[in-house]
Amino acid sequence: MSKIIKKVAIIGAGFTGKQIAAIAALYDFNVSLFDINIDTLAEAKKYISGFLKRKKKNDALKNVSYYSDMSEAVSDVDLVIEAVPENLELKRKVFSQIDSLAPAKTIIATNSSSYPVSRIESAVKRKNKVLNIHFYPPIPTRPMADIMRGSETSDETFEIGKNWIINIGCEPLIVKKECFGFVFNRIWHAVKKECLKMWAGGYADIEVIDTAWKIFTKMKLGPFTMMDGIGLDVAYAVEMSYYKESGDPKDKPPQAFRAMVERGDLGLKTGKGFYTWKKKK
Ligand SMILES: NC(=O)c1ccc[n+]([C@@H]2O[C@H](COP(=O)([O-])OP(=O)(O)OC[C@H]3O[C@@H](n4cnc5c(N)ncnc54)[C@H](O)[C@@H]3O)[C@@H](O)[C@H]2O)c1
């Protein structure tokens, strides 16, 4: 196995895939970007070119190639990052395709927000060369990625993955054993869970909680504003996934939160969530 990553393929050029491609190109990795949707590829090219130009790295534009054929995209790469939608069966199918098309040396990682790679690994033969490498967009302003093993991942694979994360200017958040939510998503879940309980229980208003968070952390946005931005349907589904995983009633999101989602008050995108927003025209 090559101990140094030189060429990377990103499978899925959507919201996160294009950002991973951009950051890898910025750090002079050779990047192949593949998507089944050519419009998405064109949009990704626009984003990546704009990003690299803003960073005054015009010479890095040549680092990225765009593909609508997966076999070409993965033909000689050292690492593949899968960033297709969060659907376990789809991820297993894509892993299996990559396994049959990529060279034997290639490490395959998933950017999944929730599935441990141990639930995907049976779709491939190279079970010692799989990883979770999970980013936190916007990657340029949140330079960190969780890294977690599958049940047969070798130490060598883990080390190579960790060094690649460092080499693209990110902090590797090492998950020592399989953990739902990895490192930071797990911490962030704990924060949101308590904020939601305080709001639903009538202990404090959302404005007070957001203000306290902003003063304490020096962040620009509080948890309720951030949930409105992400979309309350997505935020609710994430909280439900922790509840389903633990089965602990304390993890169950408040009924009042569920009611908002059922009413269609989904935050920024619908104009109403925890806060009232001006709808985009
Ligand atoms: N959105 C986030 O904030 C975020 C953060 C961290 C991790 N993730 C994870 O990243 C993954 C992708 O999420 P996203 O938000 O970028 O989704 P997205 O919908 O923006 O992008 C997914 C892309 O995959 C493409 N695609 C679908 N099927 C494909 C296939 N068979 N082969 C190749 N491409 C295919 C789609 O055309 C789309 O462009 C998910 O697993 C998600 O959990 C998302």
Side-chain angles (χ1 to χ4, degrees):
M1 197 193 296
S2 164
K3 292 197 189 326
I4 301 170
I5 303 290
K6 290 188 185 126
K7 294 187 174 184
V8 186
I10 315 295
I11 305 301
F15 180 68
T16 51
K18 69 184 175 192
Q19 292 189 38
I20 302 168
I23 204 87
L26 179 69
Y27 281 86
D28 281 327
F29 286 90
N30 194 308
V31 182
S32 304
L33 186 57
F34 166 75
D35 202 287
I36 50 169
N37 184 329
I38 51 162
D39 294 338
T40 306
L41 271 182
E43 180 57 37
K45 188 171 185 179
K46 218 167 122 189
Y47 166 83
I48 294 166
S49 304
F51 173 78
L52 294 172
K53 282 177 187 162
R54 281 195 302 281
K55 295 280 178 190
K56 305 201 184 325
K57 281 274 290 185
N58 285 29
D59 54 331
L61 292 171
K62 65 175 181 333
N63 292 345
V64 191
S65 307
Y66 300 84
Y67 293 94
S68 50
D69 178 336
M70 192 196 282
S71 62
E72 287 176 18
V74 303
S75 66
D76 62 347
V77 298
D78 306 298
L79 170 69
V80 177
I81 308 270
E82 166 276 304
V84 303
E86 191 72 350
N87 172 310
L88 186 57
E89 274 324 300
L90 175 64
K91 287 185 183 291
R92 289 174 55 81
K93 191 179 122 200
V94 169
F95 258 60
S96 163
Q97 281 176 304
I98 299 165
D99 194 38
S100 64
L101 297 170
K105 64 173 183 181
T106 309
I107 294 171
I108 313 176
T110 177
N111 180 48
S112 170
S113 300
S114 64
Y115 298 116
V117 75
S118 64
R119 296 193 196 168
I120 306 174
E121 67 191 14
S122 63
V124 302
K125 294 199 183 80
R126 61 186 88 195
K127 297 181 181 46
N128 61 338
K129 294 197 187 84
V130 298
L131 287 168
N132 282 97
I133 295 184
H134 170 252
F135 289 90
Y136 290 88
I139 302 171
T141 51
R142 291 181 181 151
M144 61 184 189
D146 297 300
I147 174 164
M148 190 169 89
R149 295 163 187 275
S151 54
E152 295 181 35
T153 305
S154 69
D155 290 346
E156 187 182 27
T157 298
F158 195 83
E159 209 48 33
I160 293 171
K162 188 182 94 181
N163 286 331
W164 180 71
I165 295 171
I166 294 169
N167 289 336
I168 56 164
C170 292
E171 181 70 28
L173 306 176
I174 292 166
V175 188
K176 289 167 69 183
K177 57 182 180 178
E178 191 168 298
C179 175
F180 194 77
F182 317 120
V183 176
F184 190 74
N185 266 356
R186 181 75 173 245
I187 298 169
W188 183 224
H189 157 67
V191 171
K192 285 181 295 179
K193 186 175 93 171
E194 290 307 320
C195 291
L196 286 163
K197 275 190 189 169
M198 289 177 70
W199 159 73
Y203 297 103
D205 289 334
I206 54 170
E207 293 84 355
V208 171
I209 297 170
D210 271 358
T211 300
W213 175 264
K214 287 190 286 183
I215 292 173
F216 191 81
T217 65
K218 303 214 177 347
M219 287 174 71
K220 287 198 182 109
L221 306 175
F224 289 99
T225 312
M226 284 194 254
M227 284 190 271
D228 265 3
I230 289 162
L232 298 192
D233 47 346
V234 177
Y236 179 78
V238 171
E239 294 310 293
M240 275 303 288
S241 71
Y242 282 92
Y243 171 52
K244 281 183 196 151
E245 187 67 19
S246 72
D248 183 342
K250 287 188 187 142
D251 279 340
K252 190 171 182 183
Q255 175 54 35
F257 187 27
R258 181 189 176 127
M260 289 175 80
V261 176
E262 285 173 350
R263 277 201 306 275
D265 294 340
L266 305 183
L268 187 60
K269 61 188 170 190
T270 60
K272 192 170 186 315
F274 289 110
Y275 294 94
T276 301
W277 302 86
K278 272 191 193 144
K279 270 197 200 169
K280 278 188 196 159
K281 294 209 172 134

